[in-house]
Amino acid sequence: MDEKILESSVSDSLIVKVNISLSGLSCMSCVYSIENALRRLRGVIAPSIHVFLSTSHAILEFDTSIINVGQIKNVIQDAGYNVENIVVEGSYINTIDANNNTMDEAKSIAIDLNENFPPKAQKTQGNDTTILTIGGMSCASCINSIQSAVELLPGVTSININLLTTQASIKHDQNLIGPRDLINKIEELGFEPQLYTKGPSNNNGNSIRQRAEKEQKKMMKRFLVSLIFAVPTFFITMIFMMALPESNSIRMGLEYQIIPGLEVNTLILFIFATPVQFILGYPFYIKGIRSIWYSRQANMDTLVAVGTTVAYIGSLFNVLIPIAQRRSEPGQQFFETSIFLITFIYLGRWLESRAKGKTFETITKLMELQPENATLLTITLDEHKNEVIEEREIGLELVQIGDILKVNAGARIPCDGKIFRGTASLDESMLTGESIPVTKHEGDDVIAATINLSSSIWIKATRVGSDTTISRIIDLVQQAQSGKKAPIESLADKIAQVFVPVVISISILDFILWISLNATGKIPSDWIPEYGNPVIFSLFFSISVMVIACPCAMGLASPTAIMVGTGVAANHGILIKGGGEAIETAFRLDTIAFDKTGTLTYGKPQVVGSNFLCEKSNFNLESEDSRNDLLLLKIVGLLESSSDHPLSKALTQYADEILLKNERITNTHIALDSVKEVTGKGLVTTVTIHSTVPSVYDVFIGNEEWLKENDCVYPPYVTQEQANKTLLDWKKLGYSIVLVGLSPHFSKNKQKIDPGYILAQFGIADTPRPDAAKTIKLLKSHGIQVWMITGDNQITAKAIASKLGIENFFAQVTPERKAEKIKWLQQHGRTITHRNKYFNFFSSIKAMFQNEVSHDIETITQKKAIVAMIGDGINDSPALAQSDLPISIANATDVAIESSSVILTRATLTSLITLLLLSRKIIWRIRLNFLWAYIYNSLAIPIAAGALFPLTKFGMRPELASLAMVCSSVSVVLSSLLLKRFKEPKY
């Protein structure tokens, strides 16, 4: 980590966002303990604090002029939790004016390394940071020599070296110089540099897996150690002292009194219980005490610490009192309770950590797709101009942009790039879901982690490290699993905050109640023969209440289901950036608005009809031996080539194909002035045709509205009926209409006299996606209202909507008005008609007595619509941002992807149905988990408190209560893992 960034103090506050990897979290109370401790720190921005139980990490922002990362780390550790790693995710300058007001616009320079998704977003030059650990440095002179050499390298903007940590933080432009070049330069100076590998935020699959395995091993080790004490304790208490007859020599030996009041078995159990209580139980004391002291929040560790301590101290006093009084009858002890309690709790935490580890499988499997090494090719020429090729294996992290890499048959592509030499069939099913191999030729794009099935190829790296497609997919999955909480979690959060104090209060009241009942003679003497002491009898109920209560089950109910669910979604080509909030929004969704071009259609329209009206034109278009229509087509091709709009690309392609067959027209020189594009309408420019007599015209290309705005009409020799008939026929077929108009160019100081003429009509059709109609039908069958938003005219929009089975659509919508339409859908709401069964029942009874005919009664309600918007272009971004659930498809632009909460990586719209069904499965699983957790605690606490004892004469011992608590938390995790059984329907 760049310490200079974290601890710098500037006049304008530097706000840094960090991702902190934690360990030791067991329940939601732990989460609140950390959050409360961090909120008390001056300089930490409270609204930015988010601690996630399922992934054991925290995200927060802090002001480096007030607090540094070391202080934050110390506070977390003081609260009883371990900090495994801290990674900087971004920073921005928080400028404060003279009135002490924050200037929000400064936040626009914030950098979030996890928000990018292919295609690569633009980066500021010199924004990449490489951290190296350098061996062999001994003094400040070493630092100076390295800094002076590295700063001279092209693309390096700054270098900071810390002699104590031997780390160098180098800011550079990845396109000019990479980490391998930096390492080579420092090695030339005689030092030993190595690339510093950061923790879980660098997409290192091993780091996440290792953290999960480390936690599992720690819990297993503690469980096994406690088991060493628990097994002999079980034999002594349950077999030797209970199952064997009193005349048995083993039992008699254990009952032998060393001194009056102290039996052998009591001494052995005391020896066993002491290390278990104070060594194995030490983590419970530390976390429980620190949680209360630093964050004013009791947690599950507090309950365990209090329960086991009461059992241990109670036993100790009950043993010491008879010894002090020199009574021959020993006191009733229950040291085994604390031993069994701690053993069962560690068993539960081990099983829970194993189950939680399985929820990481999706990420680890994605990360395992990336190869660890790459084959770098160095190509040079000898004196005979022959290629000399040198191969060497390098680590994947050392691959740089522009490297030539060799990929053999059967190997995975190491990074995103283009085929430099060779042809191969690639398996891209990990990204597209299509099992059929794709043949790639020289110049074609290849994606990291896809498999080369056929022959050896060379590729040129274009995206490396965290910029590759697979790395960004992993980032999005991680964001989803630690994203915004679902609204359904709010109730659980509120309950968890007061859960532990309430349980402790119930436990104390329960103890007082049983003691009071005994003191007043309300408890029959035959109820407590086993324990022999009313205090111990009451204490057991109290301890059982503290141990059986399980906030862990409530804390894990939602995070584990969301983690497993988002992983399942990723396996089906659905990346949920918005986490739990997006999943619940998809669950409550009732309206979906589709952008037409590129979403419902392929976004690759073709010209399917053309009509030129310039044969009798008064304009002098003809140039020597060329034809008017071809010359006009060349003007159209040149003008449209300046635009990236799908319709412009279709016209450009059409013009190129026609003109390629007529080479004579290519000799005519045409000059364009600057082209102006009016979004949602068309293009305009001034064109000069250099012929015998140069001609200058204003050219307008676009929809009918655009041509009317610029006073373009049909030529006199074309009747309005003829022109309209062609357009009407095309519109009925669902074609998009593009018109071309020309008018003589007049300078600004001359008045335009003659109108422009429309000289060409083009009908352009975009092929609907083959699964679009089926998807629309399935959405409607699930009760989803479907809308289409398009810039096409009313007739064309109706024709396309009719083909796809869409009844509702908005036509002639300009890009800036798309967001308004989404807002209208949200505010207009949706009328929900449903049968009220109970109302119908009572109405039928009433009708029967009054000899009336019973009618079905329907309840009509109006609700605010939850609207999803699906788009793919920059012009869809405002509408995506306005919608409740923004969704982008695989080929969407960077801006559309950044605005989206859900990304469909496969080129199939049926993924929407999968998203809908999976979101319902996830939410119902969360509800089931919460229901089970609430039912468990609602029933378990009264039973442990002895509510059924008067009827059953059965009191739940504390060790059994701890086992029940273990089962509840583990069962919630196992319940969430059942989501892995979700199968995508066959469409």
Side-chain angles (χ1 to χ4, degrees), residues 388-442:
V388 178
I389 302 170
E390 178 187 351
E391 295 185 14
R392 64 186 176 106
E393 291 286 324
I394 61 172
L396 187 64
E397 68 276 5
L398 295 177
V399 175
Q400 300 176 175
I401 294 175
D403 282 347
I404 304 298
L405 306 172
K406 180 180 179 181
V407 184
N408 292 320
R412 291 188 182 273
I413 305 295
C415 63
D416 291 359
K418 292 182 178 292
I419 294 185
F420 184 75
R421 187 174 298 178
T423 302
S425 294
L426 301 184
D427 178 3
E428 296 184 343
S429 58
M430 51 76 63
L431 184 70
T432 63
E434 294 292 336
S435 57
I436 301 174
V438 181
T439 302
K440 300 280 186 175
H441 305 279
E442 288 186 14

Side-chain angles (χ1 to χ4, degrees), residues 739-875:
L739 304 179
V740 181
L742 264 71
S743 67
H745 176 70
F746 294 89
S747 58
K748 292 183 179 179
N749 54 1
K750 288 186 178 181
Q751 186 177 359
K752 181 177 178 180
I753 301 174
D754 297 328
Y757 287 147
I758 299 173
L759 300 182
Q761 301 169 324
F762 293 100
I764 302 176
D766 191 1
T767 307
R769 294 180 184 269
D771 60 343
K774 184 189 298 181
T775 301
I776 302 301
K777 183 179 179 181
L778 289 170
L779 286 172
K780 291 195 289 187
S781 70
H782 285 286
I784 304 296
Q785 193 177 56
V786 180
W787 286 74
M788 182 183 75
I789 302 178
T790 178
D792 290 332
N793 60 75
Q794 192 76 14
I795 298 174
T796 301
K798 185 176 181 180
I800 295 172
S802 159
K803 281 183 182 178
L804 298 176
I806 300 175
E807 292 88 6
N808 309 302
F809 60 89
F810 294 113
Q812 294 179 304
V813 180
T814 56
E816 61 270 14
R817 292 183 59 213
K818 286 184 179 180
E820 294 177 12
K821 298 302 181 184
I822 297 296
K823 190 173 182 180
W824 181 88
L825 286 174
Q826 292 169 327
Q827 293 176 344
H828 180 264
R830 186 178 178 193
T831 301
I832 305 297
T833 304
H834 55 87
R835 295 181 181 273
N836 188 325
K837 295 181 180 178
Y838 300 103
F839 187 74
N840 282 349
F841 173 75
F842 290 114
S843 298
S844 300
I845 299 265
K846 181 180 178 182
M848 182 176 64
F849 282 106
Q850 295 180 354
N851 295 320
E852 294 179 358
V853 179
S854 176
H855 298 282
D856 288 337
I857 305 299
E858 292 183 337
T859 304
I860 300 175
T861 59
Q862 193 77 14
K863 66 185 286 284
K864 179 183 181 295
I866 305 300
V867 180
M869 169 68 188
I870 308 175
D872 69 322
I874 293 175
N875 58 354

Side-chain angles (χ1 to χ4, degrees), residues 514 523 527-528 531 537 541 943 946-956:
W514 282 105
I523 297 179
W527 283 17
I528 52 176
Y531 306 104
F537 175 78
F541 288 120
I943 291 173
L948 299 180
F949 189 86
L951 298 175
T952 64
K953 304 299 185 294
F954 170 77
M956 184 175 288

Side-chain angles (χ1 to χ4, degrees), residues 834-951:
H834 55 87
R835 295 181 181 273
N836 188 325
K837 295 181 180 178
Y838 300 103
F839 187 74
N840 282 349
F841 173 75
F842 290 114
S843 298
S844 300
I845 299 265
K846 181 180 178 182
M848 182 176 64
F849 282 106
Q850 295 180 354
N851 295 320
E852 294 179 358
V853 179
S854 176
H855 298 282
D856 288 337
I857 305 299
E858 292 183 337
T859 304
I860 300 175
T861 59
Q862 193 77 14
K863 66 185 286 284
K864 179 183 181 295
I866 305 300
V867 180
M869 169 68 188
I870 308 175
D872 69 322
I874 293 175
N875 58 354
D876 297 324
S877 298
L880 289 170
Q882 175 64 42
S883 67
D884 299 291
L885 184 67
I887 303 173
S888 63
I889 58 176
N891 59 345
T893 61
D894 295 352
V895 178
I897 286 171
E898 290 296 328
S899 303
S900 300
S901 295
V902 178
I903 302 167
L904 309 179
T905 63
R906 296 178 182 174
T908 54
L909 289 177
T910 49
S911 293
L912 284 171
I913 310 300
T914 305
L915 171 65
L916 195 67
L917 297 177
L918 183 57
S919 68
R920 292 177 180 179
K921 290 279 187 183
I922 294 170
I923 296 300
W924 279 110
R925 181 60 56 179
I926 292 173
R927 290 179 176 178
L928 181 63
N929 289 348
F930 277 135
L931 181 64
W932 162 244
Y934 293 143
I935 289 175
Y936 165 81
N937 284 289
S938 300
L939 296 178
I941 291 176
I943 291 173
L948 299 180
F949 189 86
L951 298 175

